[in-house]
């Protein structure tokens, strides 16, 4: 029935326990328990401003009251369209506190994408930064039902000295002025309204820990956008399993560099919730660039750094870390994309040369399991492996298109069963039924859509996505979605989007376009298409190049032979 980290012959790979106890608590309740145990520990810091666990819980309760005062009720959905900032964390846990459901989306999403997410989730409210308000205002007439807008500002969470200087910074000058009488409420006014609320907060167990708590997004098994409904148990199990697999008896008081974004399963599930469940400190990083990240490593000395492979590759090229002492590192975790054997060797050598006693540990997971469900043991790696399953999580490899398990070292589809597996795809029973299947062993298994193998000792090896997909800087990009957008332009007849290997992003995105008859393939038309895409496609998913073709190659059954174009583009990249 698959292999689990509870198998007794895996114990010599580390101190990973055979099984864990999962408290019957919500996301809020488990962190509240941690706050009672470590009230004076720092829960998070942002731009140098520290917030203790005790104060964090007070902030969450204030935000919960403000949400109730705004009219948010149990079961309602509230969108968080934020980078890693205090207001995002306060709101995520406050939403759970009152039994509502958080809907996590990328703040750099194009306006049309934001409209889709708000309509899809039936959100009653959305929280975003002042610099993104224009996107929300732009799509109000596209919303199918009323959605209240809460505007937060970075300035409000800065230490007093930085707050005074902030208006003169380059970042502040880029923020457009808000309309004086806009249909929105500023964060401080929102919180003030909550403080005036006389009714006490409801009991924090109104919604069972096994019911839906948050919606994250992924492409599912068909490559189309899916809302993934995750429970408090899913999040809490991921956190407790990650702590157990970390190799640390306790992470209380240690520091997590929370650079992965809050709207991403890796960032929210590991970088934030795992840290808070364990009593650790989240160093919130709202925007990543190599220079600031290197500074944070030197100045903050975090003990844990989770990230995607592109982040670690970028650090290898940072001049600022040339003489850095990284002996403070306790765990370096890579996920969100495949870590090549060569990059692992380079990162391990880099860590050793900079006095770190740890190696980079690759993990694997899907948003359908919040994030990681498999991790390389602390002191035992196998070349090319993504590690062994977390406690209480089983993996098995089945023949593609079946539920039949294949022998060790045979390739097939990776399937996962355990307490972190999602509840369902929102409003999509067909896709849910394809992905979550009860096998003959009686367990419900998540069919990941990924190809892999597993050896005799339970080490898992990822091969590739079964379905067509591009991964760029750790984000999943689905070509069919981009093609649908490009094909919507009045001058386009047909398009094909492919991934091209890139030393920094792993893959970058190229679009091949056939124009409508009579339209000349000029630079002006190319620029027009790029501008069109920028209005509809998130920045990270934008094509770096549009190449015009008179026709696209076809398969024998008349489909666009995207693999031919993919091979051509990659051959050009190698030339």
């Amino acid at each position: 029935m698959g292999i689990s980290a509870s198998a007794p012959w895996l114990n010599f790979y580390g101190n990973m326990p055979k099984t864990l106890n999962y408290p019957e608590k919500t996301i809020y309740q488990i962190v509240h328990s941690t706050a009672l145990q470590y009230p004076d520990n720092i829960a998070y810091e942002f731009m140098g401003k520290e917030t203790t666990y005790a104060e964090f819980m007070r902030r969450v309760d204030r935000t919960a009251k403000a949400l109730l005062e705004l009219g948010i009720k149990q079961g309602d959905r509230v969108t968080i369209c934020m980078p890693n900032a205090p207001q995002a964390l306060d709101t995520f846990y406050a939403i759970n506190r009152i039994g509502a459901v958080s809907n996590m989306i990328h703040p750099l999403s194009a306006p049309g994408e934001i409209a889709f997410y708000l309509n899809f989730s039936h959100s009653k409210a959305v929280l975003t930064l002042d610099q993104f308000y224009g996107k929300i205002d732009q799509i109000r007439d596209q919303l199918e039902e009323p959605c209240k807008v809460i505007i937060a500002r970075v300035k409000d969470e800065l230490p007093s000295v930085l707050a005074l200087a902030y208006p003169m910074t380059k970042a502040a000058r880029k923020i457009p002025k808000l309309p004086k009488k806009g249909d929105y409420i500023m964060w401080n006014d929102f919180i003030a309204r909550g403080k005036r609320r006389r009714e006490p907060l409801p009991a924090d167990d109104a919604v069972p820990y096994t019911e839906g708590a948050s919606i994250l997004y992924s492409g599912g098994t068909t490559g189309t956008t899916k809302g993934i409904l995750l429970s408090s148990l899913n999040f809490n199990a991921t956190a407790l399993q990650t702590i157990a697999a970390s190799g640390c008896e306790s992470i209380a008081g240690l520091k997590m560099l929370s650079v992965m974004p809050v709207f991403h399963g890796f960032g929210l599930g590991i970088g934030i919730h795992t840290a808070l469940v364990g009593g650790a400190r989240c160093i919130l990083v709202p925007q990543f660039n190599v220079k600031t990240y290197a500074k944070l490593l030197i100045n903050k000395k975090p003990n844990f750094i989770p990230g995607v492979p592109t982040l670690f590759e970028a650090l290898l090229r940072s001049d600022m870390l040339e003489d850095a002492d990284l002996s403070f590192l306790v765990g370096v975790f890579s996920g969100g994309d495949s870590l090549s054997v060569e990059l692992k060797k380079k990162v391990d050598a880099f860590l050793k040369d900079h006095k770190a006693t740890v190696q980079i540990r690759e993990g694997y997971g899907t948003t359908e399991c919040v994030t990681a469900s498999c991790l390389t043991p602390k002191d035992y790696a196998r070349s090319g492996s993504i590690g062994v399953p977390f406690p209480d999580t089983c993996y098995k490899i089945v023949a593609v298109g079946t539920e039949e398990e294949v022998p060790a070292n045979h390739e097939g589809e990776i399937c996962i069963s355990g307490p972190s597996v999602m509840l369902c795809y929102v409003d999509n029973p067909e896709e849910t039924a394809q992905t979550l299947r009860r096998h003959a062993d009686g367990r419900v298994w998540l069919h990941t859509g990924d190809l892999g193998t597993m050896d005799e000792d339970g080490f898992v090896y990822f091969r590739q996505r079964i379905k067509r997909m591009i991964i760029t800087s750790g984000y999943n990009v689905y070509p069919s979605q981009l093609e649908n957008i490009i094909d919507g332009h009045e001058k386009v007849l047909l398009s094909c989007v492919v991934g091209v290997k890139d030393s920094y992003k792993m893959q970058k995105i190229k679009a091949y376009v056939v124009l409508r008859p009579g339209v000349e393939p000029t630079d002006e038309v190319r620029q027009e298409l790029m501008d069109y895409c920028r209005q509809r496609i998130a920045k990270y998913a934008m094509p770096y190049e549009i190449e015009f073709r008179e026709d696209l190659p076809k398969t024998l059954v008349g489909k666009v032979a995207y693999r031919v174009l993919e091979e051509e583009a990659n051959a050009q990249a190698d030339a």
Side-chain angles (χ1 to χ4, degrees), residues 15-72:
N15 65 352
M16 191 185 293
K18 294 181 182 180
T19 189
L20 301 172
N21 293 317
Y22 302 101
E24 297 182 358
K25 293 182 178 181
T26 63
I27 290 169
Y28 166 83
Q29 287 175 324
I30 197 169
V31 174
H32 184 258
S33 296
T34 302
L36 293 176
Q37 190 175 2
Y38 306 107
D40 298 325
N41 278 16
I42 303 300
Y44 59 72
E45 66 170 278
F46 180 73
M47 308 294 284
K49 183 179 178 182
E50 299 177 343
T51 299
T52 65
Y53 273 84
E55 175 57 23
F56 175 43
M57 287 296 99
R58 287 192 287 269
R59 288 178 60 117
V60 169
D61 284 355
R62 285 197 295 266
T63 307
K65 285 186 176 182
L67 288 168
L68 291 169
E69 192 65 18
L70 198 65
I72 304 302

Side-chain angles (χ1 to χ4, degrees), residues 86-287:
Q87 300 99 322
L89 271 66
D90 297 347
T91 305
F92 174 74
Y93 288 95
I95 290 169
N96 187 255
R97 170 73 178 81
I98 64 172
V101 178
S102 54
N103 184 56
M104 313 301 290
I105 72 172
H106 198 319
L108 296 182
S109 296
E113 291 175 310
I114 293 175
F116 166 80
Y117 292 128
L118 294 179
N119 287 330
F120 175 84
S121 63
H122 305 286
S123 286
K124 303 297 184 184
V126 56
L127 167 69
T128 193
L129 282 182
D130 50 359
Q131 66 194 80
F132 304 123
Y133 172 74
K135 294 182 183 181
I136 305 291
D137 194 46
Q138 186 178 330
I139 50 93
R140 282 183 185 275
D141 61 348
Q142 299 176 39
L143 300 183
E144 297 169 358
E145 50 194 284
C147 183
K148 295 174 181 177
V149 181
I150 308 162
I151 303 296
R153 301 188 302 175
V154 168
K155 177 186 174 183
D156 295 337
E157 293 299 334
L158 296 176
S160 54
V161 174
L162 288 180
L164 287 172
Y166 183 74
M168 279 136 15
T169 63
K170 185 177 179 181
R173 288 196 295 270
K174 287 183 178 179
I175 298 173
K177 288 188 178 180
L178 295 173
K180 290 184 179 179
K181 295 185 179 180
D183 188 11
Y184 61 83
I185 180 171
M186 296 302 295
W187 175 266
N188 289 343
D189 295 331
F190 165 70
I191 294 299
R193 285 190 191 181
K195 288 180 179 177
R196 294 194 291 270
R197 181 180 175 85
R198 298 195 178 206
E199 295 90 343
L201 283 168
D204 59 15
D205 58 355
V207 175
Y209 73 111
T210 52
E211 291 192 11
S214 187
I215 299 171
L216 302 181
Y217 289 88
S218 180
T221 60
T222 62
T224 55
T225 300
K226 299 290 183 294
I228 296 168
L229 185 62
L230 298 161
S231 67
S232 287
L233 173 61
N234 294 154
F235 276 95
N236 294 344
T238 297
L240 293 170
Q241 290 173 341
T242 303
I243 293 169
S246 71
C248 300
E249 291 187 12
S250 171
I251 66 169
L254 298 181
K255 294 183 284 187
M256 176 86 74
L257 193 52
S258 304
V259 66
M260 295 301 295
V262 68
F263 53 82
H264 192 282
F266 193 10
L268 181 59
I270 304 295
I272 292 171
H273 191 56
T274 294
L276 295 175
V277 168
R281 172 193 303 219
C282 298
I283 302 170
L284 300 178
V285 182
Q287 187 175 13

Side-chain angles (χ1 to χ4, degrees), residues 400-421:
V400 176
T402 77
E403 297 175 3
E404 299 302 316
E405 190 168 1
V406 300
N409 301 307
H410 281 63
E411 190 173 276
E413 183 179 13
I414 299 173
C415 293
I416 306 171
S417 181
S420 66
V421 172

